[in-house]
Amino acid sequence: MTSRMREAALLLAGCGIVLGMTLPLQKMAAKAGVQPASWVFVMTFGASLFLLARALLAGKAPTLTRQHLVYYGVAALISFVIPNLLVFISIPRIGAGLTGVMYALSPMTTLSLSSLAHRRLPDAWGAAGLGLGLAGTLLIIIFRGEGGGGQSAEIAWVLLALLIPVFLASGNVYRGMFWPEGSDPAALAAATNIAAAGMLLVAVFAGGEGWDGLRVVAFVPALIVTQIVATAIMLAMFFRLQQVGGAVYLSQIGYVAAAVGLIAGTLVLGERYPLATWLGALVVVAGVALVTWSQARR
């Protein structure tokens, strides 16, 4: 294994583990009465300050050309703002574990969008993997376990949560295709998250949460500080992983996050999922393995 491959593998594992472990934090915050836009804004803004300080200390301030500003805005909206809001809305209603499974769909969705963008269809093994992933997803949707209050998760919320991998995949492909040449990943991470924080602040007031919504976040200081630190660490690894691994490889964060999310939801929050849900997750993993093997063969 080359040093670049080793770095990519370690970054992949680190990002997925940190992401999966933060899902229970968001469910606990929602139970404490924190509103979606307020939580995601404080989380994103706090993380962006860490990332900006890191970039500046390294002498790599974000570039502010027109190309870079467009990149920051589009990447922020489709990669972080919309997916994070969907995650926070979904977790109290379908559970942290089941929401985490949605991340496992992002690799196959990324491969599909990447194939379309580059006009390169997957081979037979890749297509078989995509089919298995879809079958596993249907199993999870049909036998979806407990939602936020010990009852079966409503299908409407599960379908809404399925938009999470669509936006994650769109962000993965966009960032890879339009990465500004010669840009430093730390600077891109900082600037993109500052742009995301600005959009989320607008959402806080446009959605009616306002100052009251932001004040509620202060009532759960341990949760939000942990979330901010974890998010900053994850994003610092995330943009470097995009640079060394590419969009499809980076999307495999979803596998790790899904497994950690299911386990954390079960052990920490007491969520319960039927055997069919776990079987569906295994089918998704099998699909992932085929897709990954297909990519390796190429």
Side-chain angles (χ1 to χ4, degrees):
M1 181 181 288
T2 66
S3 59
R4 190 180 183 91
M5 291 173 61
R6 188 180 302 110
E7 180 185 7
L10 291 173
L11 288 169
L12 179 70
C15 283
I17 290 170
V18 174
L19 179 60
M21 290 177 65
T22 61
L23 296 177
L25 296 177
Q26 299 189 47
K27 184 168 183 176
M28 287 185 270
K31 283 187 173 182
V34 179
Q35 297 299 304
S38 298
W39 174 268
V40 180
F41 162 71
V42 176
M43 170 189 81
T44 304
F45 181 66
S48 70
L49 294 180
F50 275 98
L51 294 169
L52 181 60
R54 178 174 177 266
L56 293 176
L57 287 173
K60 297 173 180 176
T63 306
L64 300 178
T65 66
R66 182 177 180 277
Q67 177 195 10
H68 284 78
L69 291 174
V70 171
Y71 181 89
Y72 301 150
V74 176
L77 181 64
I78 62 177
S79 301
F80 302 114
V81 175
I82 297 177
N84 279 323
L85 287 174
L86 287 172
V87 167
F88 194 91
I89 292 169
S90 300
I91 286 176
R93 294 168 175 86
I94 68 172
L98 192 52
T99 303
V101 170
M102 299 302 165
Y103 283 96
L105 301 178
S106 64
M108 287 174 287
T109 312
T110 300
L111 177 60
S112 300
L113 294 180
S114 181
S115 298
L116 289 173
H118 295 96
R119 298 179 181 178
R120 184 181 63 199
L121 295 175
D123 60 16
W125 290 108
L130 293 174
L132 272 179
L134 177 60
T137 304
L138 292 175
L139 267 177
I140 292 167
I141 292 173
I142 295 169
F143 303 97
R144 49 194 178 274
E146 295 179 1
Q151 298 177 341
S152 181
E154 293 184 15
I155 187 65
W157 292 114
V158 176
L159 293 175
L160 179 67
L162 285 172
L163 291 175
I164 295 170
V166 174
F167 281 101
L168 290 174
S170 300
N172 293 338
V173 174
Y174 175 83
R175 290 191 313 275
M177 290 184 66
F178 297 99
W179 185 286
E181 186 175 353
S183 294
D184 179 73
L188 288 182
T192 301
N193 278 274
I194 290 171
M199 295 178 193
L200 288 163
L201 184 60
V202 172
V204 168
F205 288 94
E209 295 181 20
W211 293 113
D212 289 336
L214 293 174
R215 276 195 290 268
V216 174
V217 180
F219 296 154
V220 286
L223 291 180
I224 191 59
V225 169
T226 304
Q227 179 75 61
I228 288 171
V229 173
T231 301
I233 292 171
M234 192 275 290
L235 289 171
M237 295 187 289
F238 184 87
F239 274 79
R240 175 59 180 165
L241 178 58
Q242 175 97 55
Q243 188 180 43
V244 299
V248 175
Y249 189 85
L250 170 137
S251 67
Q252 294 180 93
I253 291 170
Y255 311 149
V256 185
V260 175
L262 270 176
I263 295 169
T266 301
L267 297 180
V268 178
L269 301 176
E271 296 173 356
R272 295 291 177 265
Y273 298 96
L275 178 61
T277 298
W278 293 96
L279 290 176
L282 288 176
V283 172
V284 170
V285 170
V288 165
L290 278 180
V291 170
T292 304
W293 185 63
S294 168
Q295 290 292 101
R297 289 176 70 244
R298 287 194 173 192

